[in-house]
């Protein structure tokens, strides 16, 4: 049985707290400027550095509520801390995350971003971008 991020997103929409998250104009502009592939590379770094250890530094407080599209997506997808990962994605709280688990988290974040933007975000940086 393969993992379907959209099934998890459907369950998350039932949560009043999780369903209230949406990308703001600043986050959408950042996505347009950098492209989804770059933002997802950031997501991989954030997940590896802030969530993958068995006992992350400041667990429960390591993900800001704003400042980067991935941070917002992490809160929306229940991947902001190890407790939320355990509750929503059934990933053990006191074990390091495997590469497959990290890839699953990233797939859910990507699916949420694509859903929230209705697919209106380029994979690569916007044409004419100076960055």
């Amino acid at each position: 049985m393969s993992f379907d991020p959209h099934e998890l997103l459907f369950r998350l929409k039932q949560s009043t707290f999780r369903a209230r998250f949406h990308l703001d104009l600043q986050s959408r502009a950042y996505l347009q400027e950098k492209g989804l592939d770059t933002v997802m590379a950031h997501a991989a770094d954030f997940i590896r550095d802030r969530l993958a250890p068995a006992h992350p530094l400041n667990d429960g407080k390591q993900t800001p509520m704003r400042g980067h599209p991935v941070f917002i997506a992490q809160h929306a997808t229940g991947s902001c801390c190890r407790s939320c990962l355990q509750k929503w994605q059934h990933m053990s709280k006191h074990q390091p995350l495997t590469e497959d688990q990290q890839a699953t988290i990233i797939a859910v974040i990507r699916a949420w971003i694509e859903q929230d933007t209705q697919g209106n975000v380029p994979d690569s940086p916007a044409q004419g971008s100076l960055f």
Side-chain angles (χ1 to χ4, degrees):
M1 183 170 114
S2 64
F3 175 76
D4 179 7
H6 296 286
E7 183 276 327
L8 175 59
L9 294 180
F10 177 79
R11 285 191 298 117
L12 288 159
K13 281 185 177 181
Q14 310 311 306
S15 164
T16 304
F17 177 73
R18 303 287 166 198
R20 74 182 174 102
F21 288 97
H22 297 284
L23 295 172
D24 58 17
L25 291 176
Q26 179 183 353
S27 293
R28 288 173 185 271
Y30 188 84
L31 278 161
Q32 290 295 323
E33 177 185 312
K34 300 293 183 183
L36 188 56
D37 291 340
T38 297
V39 170
M40 295 316 301
H42 298 167
D45 293 343
F46 295 150
I47 300 307
R48 182 193 65 236
D49 296 344
R50 296 176 181 223
L51 283 181
H55 302 282
L57 182 65
N58 298 320
D59 192 30
K61 298 178 182 173
Q62 74 266 45
T63 305
M65 297 289 273
R66 64 180 69 87
H68 195 286
V70 171
F71 296 155
I72 298 164
Q74 283 184 264
H75 288 289
T77 60
S79 58
C80 47
C81 67
R82 294 306 297 267
S83 293
C84 291
L85 276 174
Q86 184 170 340
K87 176 181 178 177
W88 290 102
Q89 298 189 36
H90 311 294
M91 294 182 183
S92 181
K93 186 173 179 178
H94 302 291
Q95 305 256 335
L97 295 174
T98 66
E99 287 185 20
D100 285 344
Q101 288 173 316
Q102 291 176 57
T104 296
I105 295 164
I106 292 163
V108 171
I109 288 171
R110 184 181 191 111
W112 182 86
I113 289 173
E114 289 173 338
Q115 187 175 72
D116 195 63
T117 62
Q118 299 175 337
N120 189 20
V121 60
D123 287 334
S124 302
Q127 295 292 338
S129 175
L130 298 175
F131 302 96

